[in-house]
């Protein structure tokens, strides 16, 4: 297997965490052939982006550069990538599963006569790509039957990789674009919510569920989060009740997270919540029901009354810091 490429996406001149996770997914593919993936950066002026990408865990960088590639349009990105793929004949192309990728990658796949395997959560030997179905109730496995294979990876499903010491080689590809190719007029980038917090970047999260009973009890969880230096998150019922803002919701209809520590307080573990946090490195669950589904994914479980356990944990953490 050879010719593994990963398309990186920037916002405001920097790569987000999900682009680094896409690199990690591409490296899983590349490891099966003993190679490293090639990163692709797209735009009108990509020097600084390419320099940043060159410090990541990739073999080389390709700058797909043209004045008509900024601002982003699905027509421009689709045409540029189609020309690049025709010139390079890659085996696999990995994308971060973002709003922008969902805008143009299906059109690219259609032009190539290929299928986009979207929202991939696992990659195993073969390679076989796994994605969740029906809000995580089922998993589907997909195997490539030709080239190129296009996949996008779910946020939080792969560990973002550390930078490498030696910069990678950088080359440039200039597509043949004309203004007539751009049929769309770009507007403001789509945002799901006006987020005041990016839970996806938080190293530690304390999440609260309906077991907290009422809004006035949230201070217990907020004190625990403060003692840890963690962000506060919630399951859907808490946000539906208006006890916490919607941008703090984790799950299939909220944010997908993968912190080093995810402490679930009074969360039973409905599948809609689990799909948003099961990629966490260490999951600690506090619930009085020993049969709660959250314990099936937890690394550590505390069966007990959260109104007794949480204050005790908070005091222990405060004492340890003194």
């Amino acid at each position: 297997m050879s010719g593994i490429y990963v398309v990186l996406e920037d916002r405001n001149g920097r790569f987000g965490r999900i682009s680094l996770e896409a690199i990690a997914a591409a490296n899983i593919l590349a490891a099966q052939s003993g190679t490293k993936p090639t990163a692709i950066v797209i735009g009108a002026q990509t020097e600084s982006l390419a320099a940043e990408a060159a410090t990541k865990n990739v073999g080389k960088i390709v700058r797909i550069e043209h004045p008509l590639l900024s601002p982003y349009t699905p027509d421009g990105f689709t045409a540029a990538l189609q020309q690049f793929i025709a010139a390079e004949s890659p085996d696999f192309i990995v994308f971060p599963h973002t709003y922008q990728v969902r805008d143009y990658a299906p059109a690219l796949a259609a032009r190539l006569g290929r299928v986009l395997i979207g929202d991939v959560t696992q990659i195993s030997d073969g390679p076989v790509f796994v994605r969740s179905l029906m809000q995580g109730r089922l998993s589907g496995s997909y195997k490539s039957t030709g080239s190129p294979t296009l996949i996008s990876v779910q946020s939080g499903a792969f560990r973002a990789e550390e930078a490498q010491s030696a910069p990678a080689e950088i080359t440039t590809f200039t597509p043949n674009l004309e203004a007539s190719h751009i049929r769309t007029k770009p507007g403001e980038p789509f945002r799901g919510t006006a987020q005041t917090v990016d839970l996806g970047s938080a190293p530690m999260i304390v999440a609260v569920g309906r077991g907290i009973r009422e809004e006035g009890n949230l201070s217990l969880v907020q004190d625990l989060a403060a003692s840890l230096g963690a962000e506060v998150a919630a399951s859907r019922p808490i946000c539906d009740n208006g006890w916490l803002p919607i941008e703090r919701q984790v799950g299939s209809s909220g944010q997908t997270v993968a912190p080093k520590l995810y402490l679930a307080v009074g969360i039973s573990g409905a599948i809609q919540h689990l799909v948003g946090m099961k990629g966490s490195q260490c999951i600690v669950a506090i619930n009085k029901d020993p049969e709660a589904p959250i314990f099936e994914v937890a690394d550590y479980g505390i069966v007990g009354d959260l109104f007794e356990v949480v204050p005790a944990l908070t005091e222990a953490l405060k004492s340890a810091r003194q």
Side-chain angles (χ1 to χ4, degrees), residues 22 44 51 57 104 111 120-121 127 138 158 176 193 220 256-257 309:
N57 191 19
Y104 74 84
R111 287 196 187 186
V120 168
T121 59
L138 298 173
F158 298 88
N176 179 23
T193 60
L220 289 175
T256 299
V257 300
V309 175

Side-chain angles (χ1 to χ4, degrees), residues 153-204:
V153 298
Q154 185 183 95
S155 175
F158 298 88
R159 307 283 186 216
E161 297 187 342
E162 299 296 328
Q164 62 185 10
S165 56
E169 174 192 358
I170 300 175
T171 60
T172 302
F173 176 85
T174 303
N176 179 23
L177 297 179
E178 298 178 6
S180 60
H181 296 158
I182 312 298
R183 300 168 299 172
T184 52
K185 182 178 180 180
E188 289 295 318
F190 176 75
R191 292 176 175 85
T193 60
Q195 294 179 356
T196 58
V197 58
D198 179 14
L199 294 178
S201 299
M204 292 188 288

Side-chain angles (χ1 to χ4, degrees), residues 47-318:
E47 295 93 337
S48 61
L49 290 174
E52 180 186 354
T55 66
K56 309 307 178 185
N57 191 19
V58 295
K60 64 179 182 178
I61 317 297
V62 175
R63 295 166 50 192
I64 298 182
E65 191 168 285
H66 194 282
L68 292 175
L69 291 175
S70 182
Y72 160 79
T73 62
D75 288 333
F77 273 47
T78 299
L81 281 167
Q82 182 183 15
Q83 292 177 29
F84 176 77
I85 290 167
E88 297 294 324
S89 300
D91 294 318
F92 294 91
I93 305 175
V94 181
F95 301 87
H97 193 74
T98 63
Y99 290 117
Q100 183 170 289
V101 165
R102 279 177 268 183
D103 188 38
Y104 74 84
L108 175 62
R111 287 196 187 186
L112 297 171
R114 305 296 298 158
V115 173
L116 171 67
I117 306 173
D119 229 4
V120 168
T121 59
Q122 297 177 46
I123 300 173
S124 57
D125 287 346
V128 174
F129 306 99
V130 178
R131 61 189 301 269
S132 296
L133 306 171
M134 298 181 65
Q135 294 189 323
R137 291 182 177 87
L138 298 173
S139 292
S141 297
Y142 302 80
K143 190 170 183 180
S144 171
T145 57
S147 296
T149 297
L150 282 64
I151 72 165
S152 66
V153 298
Q154 185 183 95
S155 175
F158 298 88
R159 307 283 186 216
E161 297 187 342
E162 299 296 328
Q164 62 185 10
S165 56
E169 174 192 358
I170 300 175
T171 60
T172 302
F173 176 85
T174 303
N176 179 23
L177 297 179
E178 298 178 6
S180 60
H181 296 158
I182 312 298
R183 300 168 299 172
T184 52
K185 182 178 180 180
E188 289 295 318
F190 176 75
R191 292 176 175 85
T193 60
Q195 294 179 356
T196 58
V197 58
D198 179 14
L199 294 178
S201 299
M204 292 188 288
I205 292 175
V206 177
V208 59
R210 68 173 77 230
I212 202 67
R213 297 179 187 169
E214 58 186 54
E215 185 177 6
N217 294 329
L218 285 176
S219 59
L220 289 175
V221 173
Q222 290 165 337
D223 288 346
L224 176 57
S227 66
L228 277 169
E231 290 286 354
V232 175
S235 60
R236 181 169 180 170
I238 300 300
C239 297
D240 283 350
N241 287 336
W243 297 353
L244 285 174
I246 191 67
E247 58 262 30
R248 292 193 178 271
Q249 180 181 323
V250 170
S252 59
S253 55
Q255 295 198 52
T256 299
V257 300
K260 293 180 180 179
L261 172 66
Y262 190 88
L263 207 165
V265 179
I267 294 175
S268 62
I271 188 62
Q272 292 86 351
H273 184 77
L274 296 183
V275 297
M277 47 68 73
K278 63 183 181 181
S280 304
Q281 293 183 33
C282 180
I283 300 171
V284 179
I286 302 171
N287 200 294
K288 66 180 180 180
D289 179 7
E291 302 300 322
I294 190 70
F295 290 125
E296 296 179 9
V297 299
D299 298 286
Y300 301 94
I302 302 173
V303 179
D305 187 341
L306 72 86
F307 295 99
E308 297 176 0
V309 175
V310 171
L313 278 177
T314 302
E315 286 304 314
L317 287 165
K318 288 180 179 178

